[in-house]
Short mmCIF file of all heavy atoms in Angstrom, two decimals:
data_model
loop_
_atom_site.label_atom_id
_atom_site.label_comp_id
_atom_site.label_asym_id
_atom_site.label_seq_id
_atom_site.Cartn_x
_atom_site.Cartn_y
_atom_site.Cartn_z
N LYS L 132 -8.66 -9.26 -1.84
CA LYS L 132 -7.27 -9.01 -1.42
C LYS L 132 -7.02 -9.52 0.00
O LYS L 132 -5.89 -9.53 0.47
CB LYS L 132 -6.97 -7.51 -1.52
CG LYS L 132 -5.48 -7.16 -1.53
CD LYS L 132 -5.29 -5.69 -1.78
CE LYS L 132 -3.81 -5.31 -1.81
NZ LYS L 132 -3.14 -5.83 -3.01
N GLY L 133 -8.08 -9.93 0.68
CA GLY L 133 -7.93 -10.47 2.04
C GLY L 133 -8.08 -9.44 3.13
O GLY L 133 -7.78 -9.73 4.30
N LEU L 134 -8.54 -8.23 2.77
CA LEU L 134 -8.74 -7.19 3.77
C LEU L 134 -10.15 -7.27 4.33
O LEU L 134 -11.08 -7.74 3.67
CB LEU L 134 -8.52 -5.80 3.16
CG LEU L 134 -7.18 -5.54 2.47
CD1 LEU L 134 -7.15 -4.14 1.90
CD2 LEU L 134 -6.03 -5.76 3.42
N LYS L 135 -10.35 -6.79 5.53
CA LYS L 135 -11.68 -6.72 6.10
C LYS L 135 -12.40 -5.49 5.56
O LYS L 135 -11.78 -4.49 5.19
CB LYS L 135 -11.62 -6.66 7.63
CG LYS L 135 -11.24 -7.99 8.27
CD LYS L 135 -11.39 -7.94 9.79
CE LYS L 135 -11.11 -9.31 10.40
NZ LYS L 135 -11.30 -9.29 11.87
N VAL L 136 -13.74 -5.57 5.53
CA VAL L 136 -14.57 -4.47 5.06
C VAL L 136 -15.57 -4.12 6.15
O VAL L 136 -16.14 -5.00 6.80
CB VAL L 136 -15.34 -4.85 3.77
CG1 VAL L 136 -16.39 -3.81 3.44
CG2 VAL L 136 -14.37 -5.01 2.61
N ALA L 137 -15.76 -2.82 6.38
CA ALA L 137 -16.72 -2.37 7.39
C ALA L 137 -17.56 -1.23 6.83
O ALA L 137 -17.16 -0.55 5.89
CB ALA L 137 -16.00 -1.93 8.66
N ILE L 138 -18.73 -1.05 7.41
CA ILE L 138 -19.62 0.06 7.09
C ILE L 138 -19.87 0.83 8.38
O ILE L 138 -20.23 0.24 9.39
CB ILE L 138 -20.96 -0.44 6.52
CG1 ILE L 138 -20.74 -1.18 5.19
CG2 ILE L 138 -21.93 0.72 6.33
CD1 ILE L 138 -21.98 -1.90 4.70
N LEU L 139 -19.68 2.13 8.33
CA LEU L 139 -19.96 2.99 9.49
C LEU L 139 -20.66 4.24 9.00
O LEU L 139 -20.09 5.05 8.27
CB LEU L 139 -18.68 3.37 10.22
CG LEU L 139 -18.87 4.31 11.42
CD1 LEU L 139 -19.65 3.61 12.54
CD2 LEU L 139 -17.52 4.80 11.95
N SER L 140 -21.93 4.39 9.38
CA SER L 140 -22.75 5.51 8.90
C SER L 140 -23.40 6.23 10.06
O SER L 140 -23.64 5.64 11.12
CB SER L 140 -23.83 4.98 7.96
OG SER L 140 -24.77 5.98 7.62
N ASP L 141 -23.73 7.50 9.87
CA ASP L 141 -24.45 8.26 10.89
C ASP L 141 -25.91 7.84 10.99
O ASP L 141 -26.59 8.19 11.94
CB ASP L 141 -24.37 9.77 10.61
CG ASP L 141 -23.18 10.42 11.30
OD1 ASP L 141 -22.62 9.81 12.23
OD2 ASP L 141 -22.81 11.54 10.90
N PHE L 142 -26.39 7.11 9.98
CA PHE L 142 -27.74 6.57 10.01
C PHE L 142 -27.68 5.05 10.05
O PHE L 142 -26.73 4.46 9.53
CB PHE L 142 -28.55 7.05 8.80
CG PHE L 142 -28.87 8.50 8.83
CD1 PHE L 142 -28.05 9.43 8.19
CD2 PHE L 142 -29.98 8.97 9.52
CE1 PHE L 142 -28.34 10.78 8.22
CE2 PHE L 142 -30.28 10.32 9.56
CZ PHE L 142 -29.46 11.23 8.92
N PRO L 143 -28.67 4.40 10.64
CA PRO L 143 -28.64 2.93 10.75
C PRO L 143 -28.49 2.27 9.38
O PRO L 143 -29.33 2.50 8.50
CB PRO L 143 -30.00 2.60 11.38
CG PRO L 143 -30.39 3.84 12.11
CD PRO L 143 -29.89 4.98 11.26
N PRO L 144 -27.47 1.45 9.16
CA PRO L 144 -27.28 0.80 7.87
C PRO L 144 -28.48 -0.05 7.45
O PRO L 144 -28.76 -0.19 6.26
CB PRO L 144 -26.04 -0.08 8.11
CG PRO L 144 -25.28 0.64 9.16
CD PRO L 144 -26.34 1.19 10.07
N GLU L 145 -29.21 -0.61 8.42
CA GLU L 145 -30.37 -1.44 8.09
C GLU L 145 -31.47 -0.64 7.39
O GLU L 145 -32.33 -1.20 6.71
CB GLU L 145 -30.94 -2.11 9.33
CG GLU L 145 -31.33 -1.19 10.46
CD GLU L 145 -30.22 -0.94 11.47
OE1 GLU L 145 -29.03 -1.14 11.10
OE2 GLU L 145 -30.54 -0.55 12.60
N GLN L 146 -31.42 0.69 7.53
CA GLN L 146 -32.39 1.55 6.85
C GLN L 146 -32.20 1.52 5.34
O GLN L 146 -33.11 1.81 4.57
CB GLN L 146 -32.23 2.98 7.37
CG GLN L 146 -33.25 3.98 6.84
CD GLN L 146 -32.90 5.41 7.22
OE1 GLN L 146 -31.74 5.82 7.12
NE2 GLN L 146 -33.87 6.16 7.67
N LYS L 147 -30.98 1.17 4.90
CA LYS L 147 -30.62 1.27 3.48
C LYS L 147 -30.75 -0.05 2.72
O LYS L 147 -30.30 -0.16 1.59
CB LYS L 147 -29.18 1.78 3.35
CG LYS L 147 -28.83 2.97 4.25
CD LYS L 147 -29.69 4.18 3.92
CE LYS L 147 -29.51 5.29 4.95
NZ LYS L 147 -28.16 5.82 5.06
N GLY L 148 -31.30 -1.08 3.35
CA GLY L 148 -31.45 -2.36 2.65
C GLY L 148 -30.13 -3.11 2.56
O GLY L 148 -29.27 -3.00 3.43
N GLU L 149 -29.97 -3.85 1.47
CA GLU L 149 -28.80 -4.73 1.33
C GLU L 149 -27.59 -4.04 0.71
O GLU L 149 -26.53 -4.65 0.56
CB GLU L 149 -29.17 -5.97 0.50
CG GLU L 149 -30.22 -6.84 1.18
CD GLU L 149 -29.83 -7.21 2.60
OE1 GLU L 149 -28.69 -7.68 2.81
OE2 GLU L 149 -30.66 -7.02 3.50
N LEU L 150 -27.77 -2.80 0.28
CA LEU L 150 -26.65 -2.01 -0.26
C LEU L 150 -25.93 -2.72 -1.40
O LEU L 150 -24.71 -2.82 -1.42
CB LEU L 150 -25.66 -1.65 0.86
CG LEU L 150 -26.18 -0.70 1.94
CD1 LEU L 150 -25.15 -0.55 3.06
CD2 LEU L 150 -26.51 0.66 1.34
N TRP L 151 -26.76 -3.26 -2.33
CA TRP L 151 -26.24 -3.84 -3.57
C TRP L 151 -25.25 -5.00 -3.33
O TRP L 151 -24.34 -5.24 -4.11
CB TRP L 151 -25.58 -2.76 -4.43
CG TRP L 151 -26.34 -1.48 -4.38
CD1 TRP L 151 -27.51 -1.20 -5.00
CD2 TRP L 151 -26.01 -0.31 -3.61
NE1 TRP L 151 -27.95 0.07 -4.68
CE2 TRP L 151 -27.04 0.64 -3.83
CE3 TRP L 151 -24.95 0.03 -2.78
CZ2 TRP L 151 -27.04 1.90 -3.24
CZ3 TRP L 151 -24.95 1.28 -2.18
CH2 TRP L 151 -25.98 2.20 -2.42
N GLY L 152 -25.42 -5.69 -2.20
CA GLY L 152 -24.55 -6.81 -1.88
C GLY L 152 -23.34 -6.43 -1.03
O GLY L 152 -22.61 -7.30 -0.56
N ILE L 153 -23.15 -5.13 -0.83
CA ILE L 153 -22.00 -4.68 -0.05
C ILE L 153 -22.13 -5.11 1.41
O ILE L 153 -21.16 -5.52 2.04
CB ILE L 153 -21.82 -3.15 -0.15
CG1 ILE L 153 -21.40 -2.77 -1.57
CG2 ILE L 153 -20.79 -2.64 0.86
CD1 ILE L 153 -21.29 -1.28 -1.81
N LYS L 154 -23.35 -5.02 1.93
CA LYS L 154 -23.56 -5.41 3.32
C LYS L 154 -23.19 -6.87 3.56
O LYS L 154 -22.64 -7.24 4.59
CB LYS L 154 -25.01 -5.15 3.73
CG LYS L 154 -25.25 -5.25 5.23
CD LYS L 154 -26.69 -4.95 5.60
CE LYS L 154 -27.06 -3.51 5.34
NZ LYS L 154 -28.43 -3.19 5.78
N ALA L 155 -23.49 -7.73 2.58
CA ALA L 155 -23.16 -9.15 2.70
C ALA L 155 -21.66 -9.38 2.69
O ALA L 155 -21.16 -10.35 3.28
CB ALA L 155 -23.82 -9.93 1.57
N MET L 156 -20.92 -8.48 2.05
CA MET L 156 -19.45 -8.60 2.00
C MET L 156 -18.78 -8.02 3.24
O MET L 156 -17.61 -8.30 3.50
CB MET L 156 -18.91 -7.90 0.75
CG MET L 156 -19.23 -8.60 -0.56
SD MET L 156 -18.39 -7.82 -1.98
CE MET L 156 -19.53 -6.48 -2.39
N ALA L 157 -19.51 -7.21 3.98
CA ALA L 157 -18.92 -6.50 5.12
C ALA L 157 -18.72 -7.41 6.32
O ALA L 157 -19.59 -8.22 6.66
CB ALA L 157 -19.79 -5.32 5.51
N ASP L 158 -17.57 -7.28 6.95
CA ASP L 158 -17.30 -8.01 8.20
C ASP L 158 -18.00 -7.34 9.37
O ASP L 158 -18.24 -7.97 10.40
CB ASP L 158 -15.78 -8.04 8.45
CG ASP L 158 -15.03 -8.77 7.36
OD1 ASP L 158 -14.95 -10.00 7.42
OD2 ASP L 158 -14.55 -8.09 6.42
N LEU L 159 -18.33 -6.06 9.21
CA LEU L 159 -19.00 -5.30 10.27
C LEU L 159 -19.82 -4.19 9.64
O LEU L 159 -19.36 -3.50 8.72
CB LEU L 159 -17.95 -4.69 11.22
CG LEU L 159 -18.47 -3.78 12.35
CD1 LEU L 159 -19.31 -4.58 13.33
CD2 LEU L 159 -17.31 -3.10 13.06
N SER L 160 -21.05 -4.04 10.12
CA SER L 160 -21.93 -2.96 9.66
C SER L 160 -22.55 -2.32 10.89
O SER L 160 -23.22 -2.98 11.68
CB SER L 160 -23.02 -3.53 8.74
OG SER L 160 -23.91 -2.53 8.33
N MET L 161 -22.34 -1.01 11.07
CA MET L 161 -22.84 -0.36 12.27
C MET L 161 -23.11 1.12 12.03
O MET L 161 -22.60 1.73 11.09
CB MET L 161 -21.83 -0.51 13.42
CG MET L 161 -20.46 0.05 13.13
SD MET L 161 -19.24 -0.32 14.42
CE MET L 161 -19.80 0.76 15.73
N GLY L 162 -23.96 1.69 12.88
CA GLY L 162 -24.27 3.10 12.82
C GLY L 162 -23.66 3.83 14.00
O GLY L 162 -23.51 3.25 15.08
N THR L 163 -23.29 5.08 13.82
CA THR L 163 -22.68 5.83 14.91
C THR L 163 -23.66 6.05 16.05
O THR L 163 -23.26 6.17 17.20
CB THR L 163 -22.18 7.20 14.42
OG1 THR L 163 -23.28 7.96 13.90
CG2 THR L 163 -21.12 7.04 13.34
N GLU L 164 -24.97 6.09 15.73
CA GLU L 164 -25.97 6.32 16.77
C GLU L 164 -25.90 5.23 17.85
O GLU L 164 -26.08 5.52 19.03
CB GLU L 164 -27.36 6.37 16.15
CG GLU L 164 -27.61 7.60 15.29
CD GLU L 164 -29.05 7.68 14.82
OE1 GLU L 164 -29.84 6.77 15.15
OE2 GLU L 164 -29.40 8.65 14.12
#
Side-chain angles (χ1 to χ4, degrees):
K132 198 174 181 70
L134 305 178
K135 287 188 175 182
V136 170
I138 296 170
L139 178 66
S140 171
D141 269 342
F142 291 94
E145 56 269 21
Q146 185 189 44
K147 315 298 171 61
E149 296 307 310
L150 294 174
W151 321 285
I153 292 176
K154 192 178 292 184
M156 289 187 276
D158 298 276
L159 176 66
S160 178
M161 58 187 288
T163 60
E164 291 186 359

